[in-house]
Amino acid sequence: MIAVIADDFTGAAELAGIGLRYHLKVELGAQVNKDTDADLFVVATDTRSMAEAEAVREIEKHTRALLALKPEMIFKKTDSVLRGHVLAELKAQLSLTGFDKAVLVSANPALGRTIKDGRYYLHGKPVHESSFSHDPDFAITSSVIEDMLRCNGYPVHVKKVAATLPAAGIIVGEATQTADLQAWAERVDNKTLIAGAAGFFTAMLDKLLAGTKTEGANGIQFERLPLSLFVCGTTFANSRNAIKTIKAAGGPVCYMPDETIRSVHTGTYSYVKWANEVVALVKKHGKAIVAIHEDSTRDMALQQGQLKAKMAGLVHEVLQRSMVQELIVEGGATAWALISQSGLTRFFPVEEMAPGVVRMRTNDPGLFITVKPGSYQWPEGLWNF
């Protein structure tokens, strides 16, 4: 068995979807399933949204549980641009595994995310000059790897793929092309903690499962999706602008009401009117989009966690009041909030609609969920309203 620990739900789903390319039996869970018969088991956490100490405790718990299953490999999925408590979590895992070193390759050249000469670039520009500089939880203010990892003096070795590697410590691998990921995969052994983004995970599966890969995503025809609810929890401009365009054209968009945003005490009653509006759109159009309008929060000192919890409360009410069979969610923290409120704990990937966009059967009979990281692109055709 191959095991993965991810620091957010969409990252977990992304790697679960990659497993489908290799014809693996894949299971994703919010907890480690000691009785799983999966070839690839992915445990999703929400440590990126936690305080560092809590995140470390969560990672330690899941690492111990996975080690008990004696997997062939444990892969630590990190954010490709190193948001979250990456360094603290790796240090905790090194201590538990007894390994001397970790190799972290977060670059993903296929998506324009590269590391060269100790700096991170997004499509050739320093990453701190991108929209990641406005991330509400981990704003990126420097493209220097040590700064992005918040090393604070802790030694991290940033190395080119052909460089001599230290015998111990945390090594960040530079990569400017996909071949570099494959070269890093060849350099690690079973006494190395392996971590990084989807590209490096793919390279590791190529190494372990040579010759079994099916090229390309195996997406479905979007016009045949059942009654669907689109949930947008991202701050990325592409999706927000697409939703504005759909709304202006009379499409089924329902923004979070200002009174709900401003409400301090939220309960079921806070969502009933909004939920009824959403349900009416689903009945009329077969689908609806819920989102938070940027103008509603621009001048308010709101915690993102509060808004995600409110969005999750709405989704839970809509599921109780309608025959929605398909949740389509953008943003890892948003996805985690709504699955937590809706009692969803086990997920079985059935289709990789595009890189990072994965459709899964849930433990709720008849309900599917499709998720993607906020900074990735939706596949062509999904937003045809």
Side-chain angles (χ1 to χ4, degrees), residues 217-270:
N218 54 347
I220 65 174
Q221 293 178 290
F222 305 124
E223 66 271 16
R224 295 183 182 176
L225 281 176
L227 295 176
S228 304
L229 180 64
F230 290 67
V231 184
C232 182
T234 183
T235 59
F236 281 85
N238 286 351
S239 293
R240 283 185 164 182
N241 291 337
I243 292 171
K244 287 179 184 177
T245 300
I246 293 167
K247 176 72 170 177
V253 175
C254 195
Y255 285 112
M256 184 182 288
D258 284 349
E259 59 265 30
T260 302
I261 292 174
R262 288 171 168 75
S263 174
V264 176
H265 303 290
T266 55
T268 301
Y269 68 92
S270 304

Side-chain angles (χ1 to χ4, degrees), residues 305-319:
Q306 294 175 343
L307 294 177
K308 291 176 175 63
K310 291 176 180 180
M311 184 68 81
L314 165 79
V315 172
H316 181 69
E317 282 299 308
V318 171
L319 290 177

